[in-house]
Amino acid sequence: MLYLLLLILLKLWEEFCFLRGTMRSTEQLTEEILSLPNELRALLADKLVESLEFVADPAIQAIWVTEAKRRRDEVRDGSVQPIPGEDALAQVRQLIEA
């Protein structure tokens, strides 16, 4: 997912640079970014994701609010027992590796 977002942003950057007359190819920009240390690449990725403006469809947002409330109520009434996040991730990893 993040990789796809970066590809989209790189394409937009290429178009922006073209309009400014400072054209750099996507490949050049990618090479420069990938040469950065891990910490800086992570920071850049975080900033890029933050900069995206997601327009949420009100109907979809309402469905997710209803789902979140339903799940909250299931935990509160005891019909569902929550598990620690680390355990949930371990279960997902097992399913993926299987």
Side-chain angles (χ1 to χ4, degrees):
M1 174 72 171
L2 183 57
Y3 180 73
L4 178 61
L5 292 174
L6 286 174
L7 287 177
I8 292 168
L9 289 170
L10 286 171
K11 187 63 179 168
L12 290 172
W13 176 255
E14 187 176 88
E15 291 175 21
F16 173 75
C17 288
F18 177 77
L19 292 174
R20 287 185 29 215
T22 57
M23 183 62 183
R24 268 197 208 151
S25 71
T26 301
E27 293 80 19
Q28 289 171 322
L29 186 56
T30 301
E31 188 175 313
E32 289 178 37
I33 291 170
L34 293 177
S35 71
L36 295 171
N38 288 342
E39 296 81 15
L40 289 176
R41 288 197 327 264
L43 178 62
L44 177 60
D46 192 41
K47 293 293 182 186
L48 290 172
V49 171
E50 283 179 12
S51 73
L52 298 175
E53 294 182 25
F54 294 100
V55 179
D57 181 333
I60 293 173
Q61 195 169 18
I63 292 168
W64 275 114
V65 168
T66 301
E67 178 65 14
K69 287 179 179 179
R70 182 188 66 77
R71 292 179 186 192
R72 177 204 61 199
D73 293 343
E74 288 177 340
V75 170
R76 284 183 177 171
D77 70 21
S79 61
V80 170
Q81 294 299 315
I83 62 172
E86 290 179 12
D87 293 348
L89 289 174
Q91 289 178 14
V92 170
R93 286 186 188 105
Q94 284 179 335
L95 289 172
I96 292 172
E97 293 170 358

